[in-house]
Amino acid sequence: MSPPTLPTGVERRLFDGDERLATRGASVYGEPTDGEWRVWDARRSKLGAMLEHGMETGLSGGETVLYLGAAAGTTVSHVADFSGPTYAVEFAARPTRDLLTVAEDRQNLFALLKDARKPETYAHIVEPVDVIVQDVATRGQAHVARANRPFLRDDGRLLAAVKARSEDVTADPESVFEQFSSQLDGYEILETQRLEPFHDDHLAVVARPDRDH
């Protein structure tokens, strides 16, 4: 079986003899570059790790994206390199300042100092999207996915990186992942994958809107 096709604008290219994921855009976090291309480091990006694991993300390039938990812009900068309008939600002020700097080099990247748990605060800004990428370090990660579902088109995708330690640092990660899946009302889960060796105690989830909800 052939591996899933990478989105247009994402390629595997040689850097120092190793084949790495790469996008074309301005450098953000000191990643290796080759001309206009820059390494997409899966050890610093949950979505990059999903692509390295060959998950069927549904990304083809050019999508409108809502990114929840953008932090300083490491992953969302790569997303903006191959996507259409990209709305980047980050709650903390300090990383948002870095995110604004990243957005200066990407006209399609819109940084929002907002709380992903309160989508009503940015509902007047964000248009319907093809993809929600969720990478939030908070309790209630399933709630965040449910609360932001109204932004997602009927044929869209949720790409979530579930952080077990953010939900309960003492709980068994598998039980956290099972709980997340059971609470993901309004979605149909298409695929799940642990993100080791790139990220410990993380589960990647690909889901689509459940048309019965």
Side-chain angles (χ1 to χ4, degrees), residues 93-114:
R94 179 63 187 90
T96 301
R97 289 199 293 271
D98 295 333
L99 182 60
L100 286 167
T101 300
V102 173
E104 290 176 358
D105 292 321
R106 293 167 173 83
Q107 294 184 349
N108 63 323
L109 179 57
F110 307 101
L112 303 174
L113 179 59
K114 300 290 184 180

Side-chain angles (χ1 to χ4, degrees), residues 10-85:
V10 181
E11 295 185 3
R12 294 189 181 278
R13 299 178 67 89
L14 286 176
F15 290 84
D16 295 327
D18 293 326
E19 193 176 72
R20 309 280 297 277
L21 288 175
T23 62
R24 185 188 284 114
S27 178
V28 170
Y29 52 100
E31 67 277 20
T33 59
D34 180 9
E36 295 181 337
W37 291 89
R38 62 193 188 103
V39 166
W40 189 349
D41 188 348
R43 295 189 180 277
R44 298 187 61 170
S45 170
K46 316 309 186 308
L47 183 57
M50 292 173 72
L51 294 175
E52 287 286 12
H53 276 299
M55 296 186 73
E56 295 280 4
T57 63
L59 292 168
S60 59
E63 290 91 353
T64 301
V65 177
L66 173 60
Y67 194 106
L68 307 174
T74 296
T75 296
V76 77
S77 66
H78 288 289
V79 173
D81 285 347
F82 66 86
S83 298

Side-chain angles (χ1 to χ4, degrees), residues 178-194:
E178 290 174 6
Q179 184 179 43
F180 175 90
S181 298
S182 69
Q183 294 177 346
L184 204 59
D185 300 332
Y187 290 95
E188 176 190 356
I189 294 176
L190 302 176
E191 185 180 2
T192 63
Q193 172 76 52
R194 290 286 293 259

Side-chain angles (χ1 to χ4, degrees), residues 41-176:
D41 188 348
R43 295 189 180 277
R44 298 187 61 170
S45 170
K46 316 309 186 308
L47 183 57
M50 292 173 72
L51 294 175
E52 287 286 12
H53 276 299
M55 296 186 73
E56 295 280 4
T57 63
L59 292 168
S60 59
E63 290 91 353
T64 301
V65 177
L66 173 60
Y67 194 106
L68 307 174
T74 296
T75 296
V76 77
S77 66
H78 288 289
V79 173
D81 285 347
F82 66 86
S83 298
T86 303
Y87 299 92
V89 175
E90 173 52 43
F91 176 68
R94 179 63 187 90
T96 301
R97 289 199 293 271
D98 295 333
L99 182 60
L100 286 167
T101 300
V102 173
E104 290 176 358
D105 292 321
R106 293 167 173 83
Q107 294 184 349
N108 63 323
L109 179 57
F110 307 101
L112 303 174
L113 179 59
K114 300 290 184 180
D115 187 342
R117 296 169 296 185
K118 300 176 180 178
E120 66 275 8
T121 63
Y122 47 87
H124 62 294
I125 301 172
V126 177
E127 63 188 298
V129 301
D130 305 302
V131 180
I132 294 175
V133 181
Q134 180 173 315
D135 185 12
V136 294
T138 183
R139 289 179 179 268
Q141 292 168 78
H143 166 75
V144 171
R146 295 196 308 269
N148 285 273
R149 184 195 175 285
F151 294 111
L152 193 59
R153 299 184 192 276
D154 288 344
D155 59 350
R157 290 290 184 272
L158 168 71
L159 308 177
V162 184
K163 304 168 185 281
R165 301 307 179 193
S166 292
E167 289 287 352
D168 187 340
V169 72
T170 64
D172 175 63
E174 284 300 327
S175 66
V176 173

